[in-house]
Amino acid sequence: MRFSLLFAIICVWASQDVFGATSSTKTTAKSTTTKTTTTKTTKTTTITQSATSTCVATAYADIANVKKCSVITIQGPFTVPSNQVIDLTSLVTGAVVNFRGVITFAHGTLSKSNFLVTISGSSVTVDGTGSLLDGNGQLYWDGLGGNGGVPKPKMVKLSIKSGSVKNLHIVRAPVHCFSIGSSNLVVSGTTIDNRDPLDYLGHNTDAFDISSSTNVHVTGSTVHNQDDCLAAGNKSNNVTFSDTYCSGGH
C-alpha cells in the first residue's frame, strides 16, 4: 500500500513537472483551435480568388474593381458621370469583355484628346451583344466637329494586340467613333448610328479611324454617320474593309 501511494505521488509530481499546470493543458487546446481556424481561412481565400476571375460591373463605380478579372461584364443600364470615362486599359492577357444593356455617357467638357471608352491588352475579346453605348452626341454637335466649337470627346479607342471586337452598338458619338491602333484585330457586326435630324451638325463623326495598325479587318458592320466611314493611314498596313454598309458620310 505504501509503495502504491508513493508511486502515485511520484507520477503526479512528474506530470506537473513535465507538462505544466492544468492551465497549460488549456493553452494547448487553444493552440489546436487556432490551427484549425487558420486552415479554414486559407480555404476561404482560395475560393474568393477563384470567384473573382469572373466579374460583373453594374454601376460606373464598379468598373475600376474589375479590370484585372479574366471575364468582365459591364452590365447596364447605368450612366457614366459627366467628364468620366470607362478605362479598360492593360487588361490581363486573354481577357473577355462583355458589354450588356444601355450605357449612357453624361454630357461634359472633355476634349477630343479624351476617349469615352478605352480598351487595351493582348488576346482580348470584346462582345457587345445586346448592348447600346450612347455618347449623347446631339448635346455636342455644332457643325464644327473636332475643328472647333465646344469640346468633344472621341468615343472608343482600341489598342489591342491580337483579338476581336464584335456586335458593339454605338449611337451619337460626340466626334470620331472608333480610333484604332492595333494589330491582328477583327472588328465585326458593329452598328454605328450618328444620324442627326439636321444632317450636318455631327461633323467629324468618322466611323473607323485606323492608324499605326497592322492586320486589322473590319467587316459585317452598319454605319450611319456624317463624315468618313473609313479613314486609314499613318503607318498602317494590311487593313481590310468588307461587307459593311455606309450611309450619310463618305
Side-chain angles (χ1 to χ4, degrees):
M1 178 64 70
R2 289 181 181 177
F3 176 80
S4 300
L5 179 58
L6 180 59
F7 180 79
I9 291 172
I10 292 172
C11 287
V12 170
W13 174 82
S15 97
Q16 289 179 343
D17 185 62
V18 175
F19 298 107
T22 306
S23 59
S24 297
T25 304
K26 291 182 178 178
T27 301
T28 302
K30 287 182 179 179
S31 177
T32 303
T33 303
T34 302
K35 290 180 180 179
T36 303
T37 302
T38 302
T39 302
K40 290 182 179 178
T41 302
T42 302
K43 290 181 178 179
T44 302
T45 302
T46 302
I47 293 171
T48 302
Q49 289 176 342
S50 176
T52 57
S53 63
T54 299
C55 306
V56 180
T58 58
Y60 175 72
D62 298 336
I63 295 175
N65 299 322
V66 304
K67 283 182 61 175
K68 296 305 179 183
C69 299
S70 57
V71 179
I72 301 168
T73 298
I74 311 297
Q75 179 68 61
F78 65 82
T79 297
V80 176
S82 177
N83 297 325
Q84 300 300 310
V85 300
I86 292 179
D87 179 0
L88 295 174
T89 57
S90 301
L91 297 174
V92 300
T93 300
V96 175
V97 179
N98 301 309
F99 286 94
R100 300 289 185 264
V102 178
I103 300 170
T104 304
F105 293 82
H107 177 258
T109 57
L110 296 176
S111 69
K112 64 181 181 180
S113 63
N114 301 106
F115 297 87
L116 297 181
V117 180
T118 303
I119 303 172
S120 71
S122 299
S123 302
V124 172
T125 299
V126 180
D127 183 357
T129 304
S131 70
L132 180 69
L133 305 183
D134 187 348
N136 259 322
Q138 75 283 1
L139 302 179
Y140 297 89
W141 294 339
D142 53 12
L144 298 176
N147 301 316
V150 301
K152 307 171 186 72
K154 296 180 180 180
M155 192 73 191
V156 178
K157 180 180 181 180
L158 301 176
S159 300
I160 297 174
K161 295 179 180 179
S162 299
S164 64
V165 177
K166 68 177 183 179
N167 299 337
L168 280 178
H169 188 174
I170 296 174
V171 297
R172 295 182 283 272
V175 68
H176 295 265
C177 193
F178 280 98
S179 298
I180 301 175
S182 301
S183 60
N184 302 312
L185 177 68
V186 177
V187 180
S188 63
T190 300
T191 299
I192 299 171
D193 191 345
N194 285 333
R195 284 178 284 193
D196 173 49
L198 298 180
D199 289 330
Y200 68 88
L201 291 180
H203 186 54
N204 291 143
T205 51
D206 300 17
F208 301 98
D209 287 337
I210 302 175
S211 62
S212 301
S213 295
T214 303
N215 300 328
V216 172
H217 184 33
V218 178
T219 186
S221 298
T222 300
V223 175
H224 296 275
N225 71 342
Q226 300 170 62
D227 213 305
D228 296 329
C229 191
L230 171 69
N234 294 331
K235 301 179 181 179
S236 292
N237 60 80
N238 198 24
V239 173
T240 61
F241 191 74
S242 65
D243 300 324
T244 294
Y245 174 81
C246 298
S247 175
H250 54 266

